[in-house]
Amino acid sequence: MDVTTDANGPWLIVGLGNPGPEYANNRHNVGFMVADLLAERVGGRFKRAGKAQAQVVEGRIGPPGPANRRVVLAKPMSFMNLSGGPVNALKDFYKVPVANIVAIHDELDIDYGTLRLKLGGGDNGHNGLKSMTKAFGAEYHRVRFGIGRPPGRMQVADFVLKDFSSSERKELGYFVDRAADAVEALVIEGLERAQSTYNS
C-alpha cells in the first residue's frame, strides 16, 4: 500500500454524503457541503464522472508556482455505506496514491464545528470510511467535521440523517468555510502545518 504523499501528483478530495435532495442538509452530508464550496472556489461544477458512480470537478488550488496542486473533487453518488467503490474507481482512473486522498466527513465524537485533521486510523463506526478502508486501506487523510453526539436517547442513525438544528445553521456557513480552508491547507502546506492551524 502506497502511503507516500506525492507532492506533484493529483489529490483526490472526497466529500462524503448521500445523494438526493432529501439528504442535502443532513448532518451526514457535511462532506458534500464542503466539497461544493471547494468546487465553487476552483470555479467548477460537479459533473458525472464517466463510469464511476460519482460526480467530479477537476481544478487547481494554491498560489502559482510549486505550491499549486492539481485536485479532483468528488462526491460519491452510491450512498454513504458504498462510498469505497466509486472512490477506488476514481483513484485508479486518476492514478492517485492513497496518501493523496482526503475524505471530508461528519464526526460524532467531536463537538459541533470543531475540526480534526489526520492520516490513517480507524473508521469510528462511520460507514463511508468503513467502505473506503475496505476498498483500498486506511492510509488516507481525513478532515473530520464535528457534529457532536445525539441528544438524550436519539439513535445515532436518526441524528446523522437529520438536518442541522436552527441554532447550528447560524454558524454552519462559517464552519463549512473553515473546513474548506483546512482542506486547502492540508493539500498545499502538508498535514502537520494544517493540523497546527485547524486542529482546535
Side-chain angles (χ1 to χ4, degrees):
M1 196 62 69
D2 184 354
V3 296
T4 308
T5 298
D6 177 359
N8 299 312
W11 284 76
L12 177 57
I13 300 169
V14 182
L16 292 178
N18 287 308
E22 67 272 36
Y23 299 105
N25 298 308
N26 288 179
R27 293 182 177 93
H28 223 17
N29 270 44
V30 75
F32 274 18
M33 297 174 197
V34 178
D36 285 337
L37 179 56
L38 287 165
E40 222 175 277
R41 290 183 180 185
V42 302
R45 297 182 64 144
F46 277 102
K47 295 193 284 270
R48 182 67 87 174
K51 293 181 180 174
Q53 209 179 352
Q55 292 182 352
V56 299
V57 170
E58 295 180 54
R60 302 192 78 89
I61 61 174
N68 193 258
R69 300 282 183 263
R70 182 178 162 224
V71 296
V72 179
L73 306 171
K75 298 193 294 186
M77 293 286 117
S78 56
F79 288 97
M80 183 71 83
N81 59 353
L82 298 172
S83 300
V87 177
N88 199 38
L90 294 172
K91 170 183 81 70
D92 292 347
F93 180 78
Y94 289 102
K95 299 180 173 52
V96 179
V98 172
N100 276 32
I101 297 174
V102 182
I104 311 162
H105 64 93
D106 57 306
E107 180 63 64
L108 287 158
D109 287 335
I110 304 175
D111 290 341
Y112 173 61
T114 300
L115 296 176
R116 293 276 189 279
L117 283 65
K118 62 183 255 190
L119 172 65
D123 57 57
N124 203 20
H126 193 287
N127 288 331
L129 299 182
K130 198 176 291 183
S131 179
M132 287 176 60
T133 297
K134 189 176 175 189
F136 48 78
E139 292 301 310
Y140 52 91
H141 288 86
R142 297 100 191 274
V143 173
R144 304 156 73 204
F145 187 111
I147 60 168
R149 301 294 304 185
R153 296 187 178 184
M154 186 187 287
Q155 294 295 310
V156 163
D158 295 331
F159 179 69
V160 299
L161 292 175
K162 278 196 164 39
D163 290 358
F164 286 100
S165 70
S166 56
S167 63
E168 288 171 335
R169 282 199 296 274
K170 287 176 186 162
E171 294 182 293
L172 182 59
Y174 168 76
F175 289 138
V176 167
D177 197 61
R178 192 164 183 272
D181 291 346
V183 173
E184 291 181 347
L186 167 61
V187 171
I188 297 164
E189 300 171 14
L191 179 62
E192 284 186 23
R193 288 189 67 179
Q195 283 176 323
S196 69
T197 306
Y198 292 97
N199 278 20
S200 42

